[in-house]
Structure formats: structure tokens, C-alpha cells
Amino acid sequence: MRGLAVFLMALLLLGCTGTAHVTTPLVAHKSQKIAGNYAVHIQSGGWQLKTNPVDASCSLWRFNTPVDESYVKAMQTVLTETLQSVDFRPDIQDTHTLKRNGYDAQISLVQGPAASQFGISPNSFGAGTDSDVELTLHIAILYPDGQRQQQSVTGRASKDGFKVICSSIADIIADAAREAVRDVVSQAVDSIDNQLEIRRRQVATRG
């Protein structure tokens, strides 16, 4: 009898775990490419999120929210379209390697803290669902002469909708995560563009 109770509890817990399937967003960018030859290291594996409820409604539900694949694809696509020449590297280069391989700089993108949650709130139709996702990314640029630049950006997104059953909340979470990816990648590209422009001005000033 006790074994049956354990089995039924396991089934209950299994039924309260869903997955939000995050698709890859298109990220707008400038049409003019950034001149130069760049090594890019995209660290991943840290954004396999667990989305938890913030209130009592659907409180037994948890949603696996894997963001890594969507993020990496979006970042690789936009950097390929933005940088004149890009080489995606699995490792971080030192200044000697950058010089030897003819890179103008290495751009490292390191995942920072991330959070995802959902809530249920009453409305005129019965109950509404909202989801919030936040992704922080650390950007570091290393030049062959040893100069470094660093900046962090945070992508945020909120989505809401009307869902009748708890399992369907996954769709709203996935939408929020996709938009958070779009936001953080867009901010990262703007940051890279700005930092490289600062570097170009510094080099020009030195003569």
C-alpha cells in the first residue's frame, strides 16, 4: 500500500513539470558591418532555467525553460551579420594568439544571473497569466596590445495571456524567454559596437 502511495505521488509530481520550448528570435541590427577580424567566444550552459510560480495558483507546477540554444543561435546569427569577419572560438585567446592569428580583438560573452517566474492574477475573463524573464550577460573585449573593455547588459521581457489549464502556461513563458533573448542579444550587439568605436577613436588619437 505504501509503495502504491509513493508511485501515485511520483506521477503527481511528474505531471506538474512542464517545458517551455524557447524558439530563436530574429534580432534587428545595423545594415553596415563593423570593420575588422574578430574571434568570438560565446559561453553557454548557464541558462537552463527553472520557471517557478510566485503565487498559490498552479503552485505545484514548475517549467523547465532551456534558453541556451535559442540564445547561442541568435547571437551567432547577429554577430555573423554585424561583424565584417568573425571566427567563433570554443576557447579564450591570449594577446599572443590574437596577434599570431591576425585578430583585431576577441569578444567574450559570458552568461550572468538569470531568472524566470510566472503568476496568475484575476481579471474580467476569470484569470490571467503573466511571465517575467531576466537574462544578464557580461561582455569582455581583449585587444592584441592588452587593452580590455568590459560591460554588462540585462535583457528583460514580460508576457501575459489567458490560459485555462496550468500546463498551457508554458507557451507564455516561452514567449517571454524568447523576447528576453532578443533584448539581451540586441543590447549586447549595441554594446560591442559602442566599445569598438571607442577603441577606434582611441587608436586614431594616438596617431
Side-chain angles (χ1 to χ4, degrees), residues 30-91:
K30 295 179 180 179
S31 58
Q32 184 175 358
K33 290 200 172 189
I34 300 171
N37 181 28
Y38 301 96
V40 175
H41 173 70
I42 303 176
Q43 177 262 329
S44 63
W47 288 350
Q48 300 295 318
L49 308 184
K50 300 286 186 182
T51 303
N52 298 316
V54 295
D55 48 40
S57 300
C58 293
S59 60
L60 292 178
W61 278 85
R62 303 292 184 274
F63 293 89
N64 296 319
T65 310
V67 177
D68 278 310
E69 184 176 355
S70 170
Y71 157 70
V72 171
K73 286 182 178 179
M75 185 65 79
Q76 287 179 334
T77 298
V78 75
L79 289 180
T80 298
E81 295 173 349
T82 300
L83 301 174
Q84 184 180 51
S85 178
V86 60
D87 183 13
F88 293 104
R89 306 280 309 192
D91 52 351

Side-chain angles (χ1 to χ4, degrees), residues 194-207:
N194 291 336
Q195 292 183 73
L196 292 177
E197 178 60 27
I198 291 172
R199 164 71 176 188
R200 284 191 291 269
R201 291 177 181 177
Q202 290 173 340
V203 172
T205 301
R206 295 170 192 164

Side-chain angles (χ1 to χ4, degrees), residues 146-166:
Q147 181 183 349
R148 298 174 185 268
Q149 296 170 312
Q150 292 182 321
Q151 189 172 20
S152 297
V153 296
T154 299
R156 298 181 178 89
S158 298
K159 287 290 182 178
D160 55 45
F162 176 71
K163 294 297 180 182
V164 178
I165 57 176
C166 292

